[in-house]
Amino acid sequence: METLVSQLFAGLSLGSVLLLAALGLALTFGQMGVINMAHGEFMMAGAYTAYVVQQVIADAGVSLLVSLVVGFLVGGLLGLLLEVLLISRMYHRPLDTLLVTFGVALVLQQAARDVFGAPNVDVRAPAWLSGAVQVLGVGVPRTRLFILAMATLAVVALALALKLTPLGRRIRATVVNRDLAETAGISTRATDRLTFFLGSGVAGVAGVALTLLGSIGPTLGTNYIVDAFLVVVVGGIGQLKGAVIAAAALGLLQAGIEYSTTASIAKVLVFVIIVAFLQVRPQGLVSVRTRSLA
Amino acid sequence: MTRTTRTTRALSLTAGALVASLALAACGAKTDDTAADPTGGAESCVDTSGDSVKIGFLNSLSGTMAISEQTVRDALDMAAEEINAAGGVMGKQLEVVAEDGASEPTVFAEKAEKLIKSDCVAAVFGGWTSSSRKAMLPVFEDNDALLFYPVQYEGLEASPNIFYTGATTNQQIIPAMDYLKEQGVTKVFLVGSDYVFPRTANKEIVAYSKANGIEIVGEEYAPLGHTDFSTIVTKLKQSGAEAVFNTLNGDSNVAFFKEYKNVGLAADTTPVVSVSIAEEEVGGIGVDNVVGQLTAWNYYQTVESPENEKFVAAFKAKYGEERVTSDPMEAAYTSLYLWKGMVEKAESFAVGDIQDNADGVTFDAPEGTVTVNGENHHIAKTALIGKIAEDGLIYTAWSSDGAIEPDPFLEGYDWAEGLS
C-alpha cells in the first residue's frame, strides 16, 4: 500500500514536471506548428533567472516567488524575440523552424556558458519547501508538491485564458483557420506573437520550478526537450487536455516500470510503448479537427 | 549443363575464393609482423640537443568534459611554469605543446599520435575518462611513448607506457568500504551512473561486502544525464540502508542529492559516500544539499602540509582567490614532478631509461609523499575519507595508516579472485 501510494505520487510528480516542460510546446508546436528546439533553452533561461534573482534577493522564499514572475517575463521575451526575428519568416515550414531553432538553442547554451561559466550553479530552496509531509503514511517532498500545484495552476490558467479571454478566442480561431480568422478582422500576426510569448513564458516558469529538483547548467534544456515533445505528440497535437493526460500517463508509466525494473529499462520500455501506441493512434490521445494542421 | 558440372564449378569457385582470402590473410599477417617488430618503426624523434625539451598536455577544453579537464590543465600549466622557473629538467626548459581532446576518445587518440609523431614530445600528460585512456593506450604502446594519467579509475589495468597518478581501486574504493565497516555499517545501498566505472566499482564492492559481512540492500543505475531520482530514492529509503555508496557522474548528482534531502534523508543517519564529487562540484550541487556527506579521495584542499599550503597559495595567486583545488588537479600537478624525478634519476629523456628507473621515485606532493611503483606504474598514496563542510570545502575525517601500495588487479585480496 505504502509503495503504491509513493509510486503513484512519484509518477504524478514526474508527470507534473513533464507537463510544465511541455505546456509551452503544446501552444507553440501544438497550436502553431512550430518545432521550437530552443524551448528547452527558454527553460534554462528561467532557471538562470532564478539564480540571478537569488543573488539580488537573499531570502530564498521571496526570491522564488519573484523568480516565477521574472522567469515568465524572461522566457516570454526570448520567445517573442525569436518569433519576430526568425519564426515569423517561416510559418508552414516546420522543418526549417526545427533547424533554425536548433541553431538558436546552441547559441543560447554557449551564451549561458560564457555568462555563468561551465560548472553548475545552485539555487537554494526556501525553508518552507524543505523536508517532506506525510500523506497516507508516505513522506512526500514539499518541493514536489509545490511543482504539482504549480503545474495544475498553469494548466487551469492557460485553459481559462484560451476559453474565456478575447486573446484566447483569437488564438483558437487562428489555429482552426488562419485565413478565415484574418478575414474576420483578427490580426493573426499579433496573435502569433502573443501565443509565442505565452508559451515561452510558461517554459521560463518551468525552468524556475526545475531549480528545486535538479542542476542549473547550460544543458538543462536538453535534458527535457525530448520528453516535452513526447508529451505533446502522445497527447495529440493542439490539445491542452491531451498534454495533461499524456504527461500524467508517461509519468506514472515511468515510475511504475522503474520501480519493478531499473531506470534504464523503464526509459526503453516507455519508448517502446509510445511507439506502439502511435502505431495504433497516430493522431495522439486527443485529436482536434482543424484545417490548418491537416 | 549437368548437375555434376554445376557442382564442380561451384566447388572451384569456392576454392578460388578460399585461396584468394588466404593470400590476403597472408599479406595482412606480413604487415602485422613489421608493425609488431619490437625495435622498429617507433624510432624516437624527441630532440634533446637544445636548451629545451617538448612535452605535451592533452585535456578536453571543449565538450562535456571541459568543465573538469580545464582545472587539470590549469594545474599542469602551473607545474610547468614552476619547474621552468626553478631551472627546468636537467637544465632544459620545458616547452609545452597544448592540445584539446574535445571530450572525444577518438580525438584523444589522434592528438596523442600527433603529439608523439609530429611534435616529438618527451611525454604526454592528460586524459580523464576511462574511454579516453583506453583509446590512447594502443597509441602509446605502439609508438613506445609515455602518458601520465591523473584521475582515479576502476583499476584492472597496467601498461608499461602509462603512469597512473590518480588512485586505483584499492586506494579509494576499498578504503571507503573499510571506513564504513569500521563505523559499524552493515547495510549498504549502491547507486551509480550506467557505464563502465560504476559497474566495475560496484562489482568490487559486492565482492568485498560478501567477504566482510556487509549486506548490499540495493543496486541501482541511472542513465547518464538522468535527472529524476524519486523512484531510486524511494527504493533506497525502503531498503533499510545504513549508508549509500554513490558512483553517479555529473549532473545526476545534483538531482540525486536534492531528492535525497527532500525526502528527509540526512547525512547523520544515512551517509552517502561519493567517489566523484570534489571541491569543484560541491558549489554546483549546493552546499546545503551535501553538507555532512562523505567523499573518498587522496587529496583535499584542506590537507595540512607545507607542500599543500604552497600549492594552494600558488594556485589562488595564479587563477584567483575563489578557485579551489581538487584531487585530479593535484594528481596532475604531481605527475609532472614525478616525470621530472624519473628523468633526473635516469639522466635521460628516453622512454626505456625512464621505465627502468621509475621504481622508487618519490615526490613530496601536496597530498603527502608519493612513490612510484615500477612494477605496475601506479603510485603509493594515502586514502582520505572526507566530510563536506558548510564552507564548501572537504575536511579529512579518516585517513589510512600511511600510503597504500597500488594493487590495480586486487591481487592482494582473496575475495577479489575472478573479478578481473
Side-chain angles (χ1 to χ4, degrees):
Chain A
M1 178 62 199
E2 231 172 73
T3 310
L4 187 70
V5 174
S6 85
Q7 279 321 97
L8 267 179
F9 178 77
L12 285 178
S13 164
L14 180 56
S16 68
V17 173
L18 292 179
L19 184 59
L20 269 180
L23 258 189
L25 272 186
L27 276 181
T28 54
F29 175 54
Q31 311 230 354
M32 299 167 70
V34 172
I35 301 181
N36 179 15
M37 295 300 283
H39 186 81
E41 276 58 44
F42 295 163
M43 290 164 64
M44 181 259 292
Y48 274 115
T49 304
Y51 171 71
V52 173
V53 169
Q54 193 162 76
Q55 302 300 304
V56 181
I57 305 170
D59 186 322
V62 181
S63 82
L64 176 67
L65 298 177
V66 175
S67 306
L68 286 172
V69 179
V70 184
F72 179 82
L73 292 176
V74 169
L77 287 175
L78 280 174
L80 192 63
L81 211 62
L82 181 72
E83 203 279 342
V84 172
L85 292 180
L86 296 168
I87 304 283
S88 58
R89 294 159 211 279
M90 44 192 75
Y91 278 110
H92 304 302
R93 283 151 60 198
L95 286 180
D96 294 356
T97 60
L98 185 149
L99 291 178
V100 161
T101 54
F102 184 67
V104 172
L106 293 181
V107 171
L108 286 176
Q109 277 178 32
Q110 194 55 44
R113 214 169 269 131
D114 287 345
V115 176
F116 299 100
N120 289 329
V121 294
D122 174 51
V123 174
R124 277 171 294 111
W128 45 271
L129 280 182
S130 75
V133 280
Q134 294 295 316
V135 179
L136 297 170
V138 176
V140 170
R142 283 171 203 265
T143 45
R144 287 185 174 269
L145 277 180
F146 180 73
I147 291 176
L148 196 62
M150 266 180 55
T152 315
L153 204 70
V155 170
V156 172
L158 263 186
L160 289 180
L162 283 178
K163 252 213 155 68
L164 302 179
T165 65
L167 169 67
R169 278 196 291 276
R170 284 203 292 273
I171 292 178
R172 279 184 296 142
T174 311
V175 167
V176 175
N177 191 326
R178 184 173 286 269
D179 296 336
L180 199 56
E182 185 86 33
T183 26
I186 295 171
S187 162
T188 54
R189 281 297 304 122
T191 311
D192 287 341
R193 275 185 222 131
L194 273 168
T195 313
F196 229 88
F197 177 78
L198 215 58
S200 307
V202 176
V205 172
V208 175
L210 286 175
T211 64
L212 297 171
L213 294 181
S215 61
I216 304 148
T219 56
L220 177 139
T222 45
N223 292 336
Y224 291 94
I225 189 75
V226 173
D227 286 336
F229 270 108
L230 277 185
V231 167
V232 176
V233 171
V234 170
I237 289 168
Q239 282 294 28
L240 222 50
K241 204 195 320 170
V244 175
I245 302 170
L250 290 187
L252 287 170
L253 213 55
Q254 169 82 26
I257 300 175
E258 188 177 335
Y259 188 79
S260 40
T261 60
T262 69
S264 308
I265 290 179
K267 275 227 151 108
V268 174
L269 280 183
V270 167
F271 258 102
V272 170
I273 292 170
I274 288 174
V275 171
F277 169 78
L278 289 176
Q279 296 304 308
V280 184
R281 226 184 131 76
Q283 74 274 37
L285 279 167
V286 181
S287 55
V288 63
R289 279 154 53 101
T290 89
R291 282 159 215 219
S292 61
L293 288 170
Chain B
M1 205 194 284
T2 66
R3 203 191 173 121
T4 13
T5 49
R6 208 184 285 168
T7 322
T8 330
R9 186 185 287 179
L11 269 176
S12 61
L13 265 176
T14 323
L18 258 176
V19 169
S21 62
L22 272 176
L24 273 175
C27 287
K30 216 182 220 169
T31 36
D32 277 348
D33 271 347
T34 35
D37 182 0
T39 55
E43 193 54 48
S44 163
C45 63
V46 179
D47 178 17
T48 52
S49 57
D51 294 339
S52 66
V53 61
K54 280 186 185 170
I55 53 171
F57 289 172
L58 178 47
N59 317 91
S60 297
L61 305 182
S62 57
T64 51
M65 293 308 299
I67 305 173
S68 310
E69 294 190 47
Q70 178 68 55
T71 67
V72 165
R73 170 65 65 82
D74 292 343
L76 283 170
D77 283 339
M78 188 171 95
E81 266 177 37
E82 282 181 14
I83 290 173
N84 277 342
V89 178
M90 290 212 308
K92 291 183 200 301
Q93 290 286 300
L94 299 179
E95 191 184 330
V96 173
V97 184
E99 282 294 346
D100 178 6
S103 308
E104 290 284 344
T106 48
V107 176
F108 269 97
E110 279 164 28
K111 295 282 168 110
E113 187 136 14
K114 175 199 168 262
L115 284 170
I116 299 165
K117 282 190 169 163
S118 53
D119 294 316
C120 299
V121 298
V124 177
F125 300 80
W128 182 295
T129 62
S130 285
S131 42
S132 70
R133 190 189 66 251
K134 295 270 187 208
M136 289 190 285
L137 189 137
V139 177
F140 283 93
E141 288 187 345
D142 291 351
N143 292 292
D144 202 19
L146 287 183
L147 169 69
F148 285 76
Y149 173 74
V151 186
Q152 50 83 223
Y153 78 113
E154 69 277 4
L156 310 179
E157 188 184 296
S159 163
N161 297 92
I162 300 183
F163 284 95
Y164 306 79
T165 61
T168 182
T169 16
N170 79 313
Q171 298 166 320
Q172 183 190 31
I173 288 170
I174 293 170
M177 291 304 290
D178 285 340
Y179 171 77
L180 290 180
K181 193 181 156 194
E182 250 182 64
Q183 302 293 308
V185 169
T186 56
K187 288 176 176 161
V188 175
F189 192 97
L190 308 179
V191 56
S193 294
D194 208 350
Y195 75 110
V196 60
F197 172 72
R199 290 228 176 231
T200 313
N202 285 346
K203 226 186 263 172
E204 291 161 359
I205 293 172
V206 168
Y208 173 99
S209 303
K210 235 178 237 165
N212 287 279
I214 292 173
E215 192 190 341
I216 300 297
V217 291
E219 187 173 346
E220 289 290 327
Y221 297 94
L224 278 169
H226 192 63
T227 48
D228 194 287
F229 280 87
S230 52
T231 301
I232 286 177
V233 170
T234 304
K235 286 190 197 176
L236 195 167
K237 213 177 169 185
Q238 290 172 351
S239 70
E242 294 161 359
V244 181
F245 205 102
N246 166 25
T247 43
L248 287 172
N249 232 39
D251 286 355
S252 293
N253 273 308
V254 188
F256 172 72
F257 277 107
K258 283 196 173 172
E259 191 70 33
Y260 197 80
K261 186 181 171 223
N262 284 342
V263 298
L265 288 165
D268 46 357
T269 48
T270 323
V272 181
V273 188
S274 306
V275 289
S276 58
I277 296 177
E279 286 85 344
E280 285 275 344
E281 283 81 24
V282 170
I285 298 174
V287 182
D288 286 354
N289 300 312
V290 283
V291 69
Q293 300 291 12
L294 305 169
T295 60
W297 289 104
N298 307 93
Y299 167 85
Y300 300 113
Q301 182 176 310
T302 57
V303 165
E304 284 174 17
S305 72
E307 290 81 13
N308 188 39
E309 265 169 43
K310 211 181 105 212
F311 173 64
V312 174
F315 189 82
K316 284 183 183 280
K318 187 166 160 58
Y319 296 106
E321 250 337 278
E322 77 286 0
R323 290 286 300 270
V324 287
T325 56
S326 68
D327 184 287
M329 291 160 68
E330 190 266 353
Y333 174 85
T334 299
S335 70
L336 203 57
Y337 277 99
L338 283 174
W339 172 74
K340 176 176 181 272
M342 292 176 205
V343 170
E344 286 170 351
K345 187 178 168 204
E347 294 181 340
S348 158
F349 288 97
V351 172
D353 297 336
I354 289 175
Q355 285 165 335
D356 292 343
N357 286 284
D359 192 44
V361 168
T362 70
F363 173 60
D364 291 327
E367 68 179 89
T369 304
V370 298
T371 313
V372 178
N373 178 317
E375 196 86 0
N376 56 34
H377 283 196
H378 290 60
I379 63 180
K381 298 164 88 79
T382 308
L384 305 176
I385 305 300
K387 202 172 213 172
I388 301 170
E390 289 187 7
D391 58 5
L393 293 178
I394 308 175
Y395 292 86
T396 306
W398 178 92
S399 132
S400 62
D401 305 326
I404 303 172
E405 272 301 314
D407 183 2
F409 293 96
L410 298 176
E411 283 157 345
Y413 302 88
D414 292 336
W415 51 261
E417 238 169 77
L419 274 183
S420 46

